[in-house]
Amino acid sequence: MYVLGIETSCDETSVAVLNDKRDILSNVILSQDEIHSPWGGVVPELASREHLQNIDFILEESLRIAGLKIEEIDLFCVTQGPGLIGSLLVGLTFAKALSLYFEKPLVGVNHLHSHLEAAFIENDVEFPVLGLVVSGGHTSIFYLKRELDFNLVSKTRDDAAGETMDKIAKFLNLGYPGGPIIDRMAEGGDYERYKFAIPKIKEKTLDFSFSGLKTAALHIIKKEKIDKNSNNLKDFLASFQYAIINYLIHNVERAIDMDDTSSIIVAGGVARNRELRKRMADFSKSRGINVFIPSPKLCTDNAAMVASLGYKLFLKGKTISYDASAFSRYYINNNENISLPQLIKKYK
Ligand code: KG4
Ligand code: ZN
């Protein structure tokens, strides 16, 4: 059996092919970084137009690398949400058309769940699992007692971790996306030079809030007259990155103290960050819990994670019908099969 995955939730167009052992036969990712770079952030309308223009040749390339013809694909899986609605609709409509024409089943995949799935492609992960998804759009903690049992424990109430890094990098004119730039530029900087407090939300919650860290960073930038060329930039970026990582680890630690946890997964674009990977490994060692962080290519948005999770859902009979809609936000008790009529009912 061959499984094809499609991912277009934000600004990467990706198509992957896996076999039924979930080996990756191809995982082609086309990044739109160059398109969005002049604006310092993803422009939704440009993103969907690019997906529309590129999706068919990314499909062809993915099939070529896998050495397969489209007729040999047995199952189509696609990211249904959350994400940018225009971008999602390109992938979802494309996947629906393929499924309909070739008369093969279609599975809709939750983007955040698929980020965590990336760790399962490469590792045998023992349950219960605490999963941290850190990306440009989300900072969320999930608890999984068993396979596919995704329970959202916490989310960000404002900016996501990656978004915060992207915005500060934009403010300093460092380029886009800011996360990898900060990762590189912070290397060797004095992370103790500028102090950031761990943000506190008054209620007892594991939710994140990054807007305070962003404001504190802007305050330091102004007060210390930090700019692109100043000598203190490296130390500032190291301190800022350190603060974000401390905050992520702080909430993960609080979460694992609440329930039995055998493994931690850290996934999503920000999980490419070298300092975060190192600090997470040190932290989990100190707590005697295994940590699984996907290899960098599987941290960024990619379709292999979609195909892998989609295949598992297919085995549980979770296919979607052609009236299934894309969804832009993560719903609690999210039903992947949610259809437009159900959505309308829910929000009436
Ligand atoms: O998961 P992803 O590819 O797309 C979303 O679903 O958002 O994540 C993109 C985010 C961006 O904010 C980018 O700056 C961040 O991941 N990122 C990083 C690194 N590489 C990508 N952040 C910190 N360090 C990195 N090395
Ligand atoms: Zn993502």
Side-chain angles (χ1 to χ4, degrees), residues 126-169:
E126 199 188 322
F127 290 93
V129 169
L130 200 284
L132 171 69
V133 180
V134 253
S135 72
H138 298 271
T139 306
S140 307
I141 296 177
F142 289 88
Y143 185 72
L144 293 85
K145 240 194 165 83
R146 59 192 77 79
E147 191 166 79
L148 302 179
D149 178 26
F150 296 94
N151 293 290
L152 183 69
V153 175
S154 92
K155 60 190 181 318
T156 180
R157 297 208 172 169
D158 38 58
D159 292 348
E163 187 180 6
T164 312
M165 289 174 119
D166 294 342
K167 283 181 176 169
I168 292 300

Side-chain angles (χ1 to χ4, degrees), residues 42-313:
V42 178
V43 183
E45 181 59 25
L46 293 182
S48 35
R49 277 191 229 168
E50 283 298 305
H51 287 308
L52 204 54
Q53 214 151 52
N54 299 323
I55 187 111
D56 36 7
F57 84 77
I58 297 297
L59 169 73
E60 272 171 33
E61 183 62 3
S62 193
L63 288 167
R64 191 190 64 76
I65 293 170
L68 293 170
K69 293 196 192 73
I70 185 82
E71 294 82 2
E72 292 175 90
I73 299 297
D74 302 289
L75 171 68
F76 294 99
C77 308
V78 62
T79 307
Q80 210 180 337
L84 300 173
I85 202 73
S87 291
L88 288 164
L89 281 172
V90 176
L92 182 61
T93 312
F94 192 63
K96 280 181 185 174
L98 290 171
S99 154
L100 194 63
Y101 186 81
F102 293 103
E103 298 179 343
K104 297 289 163 58
L106 177 66
V107 173
V109 166
N110 183 296
H111 182 59
L112 302 188
H113 299 175
S114 69
H115 268 305
L116 293 175
E117 174 64 20
F120 292 96
I121 297 179
E122 297 177 317
N123 306 282
D124 272 329
V125 183
E126 199 188 322
F127 290 93
V129 169
L130 200 284
L132 171 69
V133 180
V134 253
S135 72
H138 298 271
T139 306
S140 307
I141 296 177
F142 289 88
Y143 185 72
L144 293 85
K145 240 194 165 83
R146 59 192 77 79
E147 191 166 79
L148 302 179
D149 178 26
F150 296 94
N151 293 290
L152 183 69
V153 175
S154 92
K155 60 190 181 318
T156 180
R157 297 208 172 169
D158 38 58
D159 292 348
E163 187 180 6
T164 312
M165 289 174 119
D166 294 342
K167 283 181 176 169
I168 292 300
K170 181 182 179 185
F171 189 80
L172 290 165
N173 284 317
L174 301 180
Y176 173 83
I181 296 170
I182 293 176
D183 184 346
R184 259 193 328 272
M185 294 183 83
E187 196 170 0
D190 175 5
Y191 59 82
E192 286 182 319
R193 180 159 173 190
Y194 300 105
K195 306 273 183 253
F196 292 83
I198 285 190
K200 292 228 160 47
I201 297 181
K202 283 200 181 92
E203 309 137 52
K204 263 199 174 167
T205 172
L206 286 172
D207 277 359
F208 292 93
S209 166
F210 284 92
S211 64
L213 267 182
K214 190 180 62 186
T215 312
L218 292 173
H219 183 71
I220 295 172
I221 290 170
K222 282 199 181 119
K223 191 165 158 250
E224 303 288 330
K225 299 191 171 44
I226 297 166
D227 65 30
K228 202 178 167 180
N229 304 310
S230 54
N231 292 333
N232 46 4
L233 178 68
K234 189 181 267 305
D235 291 348
F236 166 75
L237 294 177
S239 305
F240 173 60
Q241 178 177 267
Y242 182 76
I244 289 185
I245 295 171
N246 273 351
Y247 188 26
L248 294 171
I249 293 179
H250 174 76
N251 269 13
V252 165
E253 183 158 33
R254 287 173 62 215
I256 58 174
D257 285 340
M258 286 167 69
D259 220 327
D260 178 31
T261 304
S262 297
S263 316
I264 298 172
I265 293 175
V266 185
V270 181
R272 292 176 71 110
N273 186 277
R274 291 168 303 163
E275 193 59 27
L276 174 62
R277 297 175 84 92
K278 192 174 150 295
R279 293 273 312 281
M280 268 295 172
D282 292 346
F283 164 73
S284 61
K285 210 167 158 193
S286 74
R287 294 292 304 251
I289 299 174
N290 287 324
V291 68
F292 299 95
I293 309 178
S295 49
K297 189 180 174 185
L298 291 179
C299 285
T300 316
D301 291 347
N302 71 87
M305 64 189 194
V306 178
S308 182
L309 180 57
Y311 179 57
K312 287 183 181 173
L313 291 167

